[in-house]
Amino acid sequence: MIQMDPNSLTTLGDNDQGQIGEDVFVRKPLQQGEGRVTYLVETGTVSIRRRYSDFTWLYKRLQTELPGAFVPIIPHTRTFHQKEFDSEFLETRRTNLERFLKGVFVVPEARAVSKSLLAFLKASNLETAKKIIEVNN
């Protein structure tokens, strides 16, 4: 079984260079190949790229980690797959993802105890962090 120190992201490949701020922003959608878009997530001195699927994972994990807490909804994915996204779609999704994260930031329980939120914001290898978190919960 994979073990994790719940007070540290060292085993998650964390980005110790940055501090999480009081606010969060989602900026600069970047298309990286067919159908792959990343968004720059910034808070405090932390700056990291995440995909829509990472936001979806965070939403599901917060519902599991914080039963009874209000977790803001996440914008839905499209019902069909595209190789290229137009700038209007990317801006709308970026705005909605930012609204989602800002909503998460005002949930006291999320900021205080959510290992998933911390990993989402700081883990340089989020895929490994996801596996560790899911095995240990």
Side-chain angles (χ1 to χ4, degrees):
M1 176 189 290
I2 301 171
Q3 294 297 316
M4 179 179 77
D5 175 357
N7 299 316
S8 171
L9 282 179
T10 304
T11 55
L12 301 179
D14 63 318
N15 174 5
D16 283 331
Q17 305 303 316
Q19 296 297 316
I20 296 171
E22 293 299 314
D23 205 355
V24 63
F25 304 94
V26 178
R27 299 185 167 127
K28 301 180 183 175
L30 178 64
Q31 292 195 54
Q32 300 176 314
E34 291 185 7
R36 181 180 165 92
V37 177
T38 61
Y39 299 86
L40 186 64
V41 177
E42 297 178 319
T43 178
T45 60
V46 174
S47 180
I48 198 156
R49 288 213 158 264
R50 295 291 182 237
R51 295 184 67 188
Y52 175 82
S53 60
D54 299 327
F55 286 85
T56 301
W57 172 82
L58 176 62
Y59 172 73
K60 291 175 183 174
R61 289 299 311 160
L62 289 173
Q63 289 182 316
T64 300
E65 289 179 5
L66 308 172
F70 172 75
V71 177
I73 61 168
I74 190 165
H76 295 287
T77 187
R78 286 193 169 184
T79 56
F80 58 94
H81 297 283
Q82 280 186 241
K83 294 180 182 178
E84 297 277 331
F85 296 103
D86 63 46
S87 59
E88 182 180 336
F89 169 79
L90 292 176
E91 179 57 21
T92 299
R93 178 172 274 180
R94 184 208 63 77
T95 301
N96 289 333
L97 292 173
E98 183 174 88
R99 186 176 301 125
F100 163 71
L101 278 184
K102 284 181 180 290
V104 169
F105 263 52
V106 298
V107 177
E109 300 92 341
R111 301 261 330 237
V113 299
S114 175
K115 291 180 275 186
S116 298
L117 178 60
L118 191 57
F120 176 86
L121 294 171
K122 295 189 76 174
S124 55
N125 185 339
L126 187 56
E127 293 308 311
T128 299
K130 288 176 183 180
K131 291 174 186 171
I132 292 170
I133 288 169
E134 289 168 6
V135 164
N136 284 285
N137 282 328

